[in-house]
């Protein structure tokens, strides 16, 4: 299965600022996703990152708050914009490969 | 929307015991996946099931895709302390469709 490198692994940010999270995959993948996992909760899909076009957002998530880039088949970024304490979560990159869906180790974000 | 039901939220077992976890849905899924998540890590795929009735093993883990395609179970035999973690079931309806996750079961293993 694909190997995913996600950066940063954790960060503490001031409210009102933005953080960009990077996801690098060791092979070309068609499907790339961004998830949020709030403390003690399950995973919620934010959006599907589409190569060469705008991301497809799930209900409750908007591009202005979570802009996503996908310049090629191995890389994507998620930005959490104008952060508030409610954005404190783990953000996870995932790719669809032959074995199912593989996840990165996540970015643990704390907004103060 | 689609929902996957996992309960209870937490399970406590003694080392060496077997444990079974169930995942149910009101909708049909064509693929069932079981993940384990440890603190500070992303979910790791344990077993993937692609066909109704399929029974698949991975070491001490066994999972089955229910005949109705609306449920799946995961068995862990002879549990050990490193089995501790959160176990999520996930399903999808098609090859390119998104995953739906259950709420997860936190497993604790007493030595």
């Amino acid at each position: 299965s694909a190997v995913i490198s996600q950066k940063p692994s954790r960060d503490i940010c001031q409210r009102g600022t933005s953080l960009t999270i990077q996801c690098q995959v060791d092979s070309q993948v068609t499907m790339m996703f961004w998830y949020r996992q709030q403390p003690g909760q399950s995973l919620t899909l934010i959006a599907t990152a589409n190569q060469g076009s705008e991301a497809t957002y799930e209900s409750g998530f908007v591009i202005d708050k979570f802009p996503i880039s996908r310049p090629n088949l191995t890389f994507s970024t998620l930005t959490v914009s104008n952060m508030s304490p409610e954005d404190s979560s783990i953000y996870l990159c995932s790719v669809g490969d032959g074995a199912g869906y593989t996840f990165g180790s996540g970015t643990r974000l704390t907004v103060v | 929307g689609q929902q996957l039901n996992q309960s209870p939220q937490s399970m406590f077992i003694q080392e060496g015991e077997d444990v079974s976890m169930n995942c149910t849905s009101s909708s049909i899924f064509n693929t069932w996946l079981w993940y384990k998540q440890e603190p500070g890590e992303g979910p790791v795929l344990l077993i993937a099931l692609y066909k109704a009735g399929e029974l698949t093993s991975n070491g001490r883990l066994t999972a089955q895709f229910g005949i109705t395609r609306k449920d799946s179970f995961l068995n862990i035999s002879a549990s050990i302390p490193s089995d501790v973690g959160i176990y999520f079931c996930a399903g999808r309806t098609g090859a390119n469709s998104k995953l739906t996750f259950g709420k997860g079961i936190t497993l604790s293993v007493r030595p």
Side-chain angles (χ1 to χ4, degrees), chain A residues 7 18 43 58 64 98:
Chain A
K7 295 179 183 178
S18 298
L43 286 80
E58 297 298 307
D64 290 347

Side-chain angles (χ1 to χ4, degrees), chain A residues 3-105:
Chain A
V3 176
I4 299 174
S5 172
Q6 194 173 328
K7 295 179 183 178
S9 59
R10 59 178 62 233
D11 208 342
I12 301 173
C13 300
Q14 296 289 324
R15 68 177 68 201
T17 63
S18 298
L19 175 72
T20 295
I21 302 167
Q22 298 181 357
C23 179
Q24 178 74 55
V25 191
D26 69 340
S27 58
Q28 293 187 337
V29 291
T30 305
M31 295 184 290
M32 216 157 172
F33 308 92
W34 287 98
Y35 285 82
R36 181 175 73 183
Q37 186 176 26
Q38 293 178 303
Q41 301 295 315
S42 186
L43 286 80
T44 301
L45 181 64
I46 297 172
T48 302
N50 301 309
Q51 193 266 328
S53 65
E54 195 171 281
T56 305
Y57 289 84
E58 297 298 307
S59 176
F61 297 97
V62 295
I63 188 170
D64 290 347
K65 175 67 176 177
F66 297 102
I68 287 171
S69 80
R70 176 109 191 253
N72 55 52
L73 292 176
T74 64
F75 186 77
S76 178
T77 66
L78 168 75
T79 298
V80 186
S81 304
N82 188 23
M83 289 183 284
S84 66
E86 292 70 36
D87 295 320
S88 298
S89 284
I90 301 172
Y91 292 86
L92 296 140
C93 168
S94 175
V95 301
D97 57 21
Y101 292 80
T102 300
F103 286 82
S105 55

Side-chain angles (χ1 to χ4, degrees), chain B residues 11-27:
Chain B
M11 299 180 81
F12 299 86
I13 61 173
Q14 198 73 35
E15 182 178 359
E17 288 182 343
D18 300 345
V19 62
S20 184
M21 303 177 190
N22 204 35
C23 185
T24 61
S25 170
S26 57
S27 306

